[in-house]
Amino acid sequence: MKTTFCIIAASIASASAFVPATKTPQSTQLHIATKGTAAPVRKSISGLTKDNFDSTLKEIEGFLTKDAGSAIYKKSMKRIAVKASALGVSVPADYAKDAKCTKKRREKQDAYCKAKVRGSWELCISYVHFLCNDDKVEVS
């Protein structure tokens, strides 16, 4: 009885090992939620038309702002701009501007601009002092 049960159990286990895996159905939607894959984004950019331009930009904006690296971001934005000009449409001015990959560069540029303005203001004050030839001139 025990040997018969063992033989039946072994045959069932070995038979299930050779059953092919079931395939999951592929959907036609763009799956940008998958991290680290830029292929669907590149494919959607290459398939841009006048009809699907706005909807495709909305779909890929999340990937460009959150997951894309600086190289993929730069290339994708350039490809979008080229496609837009070829199609006769325009990319929104603020499209994907708050990208994670460009955050440090934007902060550095902002700090530079603030320092430049502050330096210009100090230069202007010193020039007024020079023109007046008086150290008592106060500019606020």
Side-chain angles (χ1 to χ4, degrees):
M1 176 86 173
K2 282 185 177 181
T3 56
T4 310
F5 179 71
C6 289
I7 293 172
I8 293 172
S11 65
I12 291 173
S14 64
S16 66
F18 295 106
V19 174
T22 58
K23 244 185 171 179
T24 57
Q26 295 288 332
S27 110
T28 58
Q29 283 187 331
L30 181 64
H31 292 292
I32 298 177
T34 311
K35 284 196 168 209
T37 53
V41 174
R42 284 195 312 263
K43 187 175 181 180
S44 64
I45 291 172
S46 66
L48 283 172
T49 63
K50 261 189 177 181
D51 300 331
N52 71 358
F53 191 79
D54 291 329
S55 62
T56 305
L57 288 185
K58 287 177 186 172
E59 284 182 17
I60 63 176
E61 186 172 18
F63 175 81
L64 290 175
T65 56
K66 296 175 189 160
D67 299 329
S70 61
I72 295 294
Y73 174 81
K74 186 176 180 180
K75 290 176 185 179
S76 297
M77 293 300 287
K78 187 171 184 169
R79 287 178 180 141
I80 291 170
V82 168
K83 272 286 195 179
S85 66
L87 296 172
V89 294
S90 62
V91 180
D94 60 343
Y95 179 72
K97 292 295 181 190
D98 294 329
K100 181 180 168 185
C101 64
T102 60
K103 183 178 180 183
K104 283 185 179 179
R105 182 173 55 98
R106 285 182 281 128
E107 289 173 351
K108 192 174 181 180
Q109 181 68 22
D110 188 43
Y112 172 78
C113 290
K114 286 180 181 177
K116 192 77 168 165
V117 168
R118 186 180 62 236
S120 297
W121 181 249
E122 290 171 357
L123 181 65
C124 181
I125 290 173
S126 63
Y127 186 67
V128 168
H129 285 287
F130 173 74
L131 289 178
C132 293
N133 211 5
D134 187 10
D135 291 332
K136 297 178 184 174
V137 175
E138 292 184 23
V139 180
S140 54

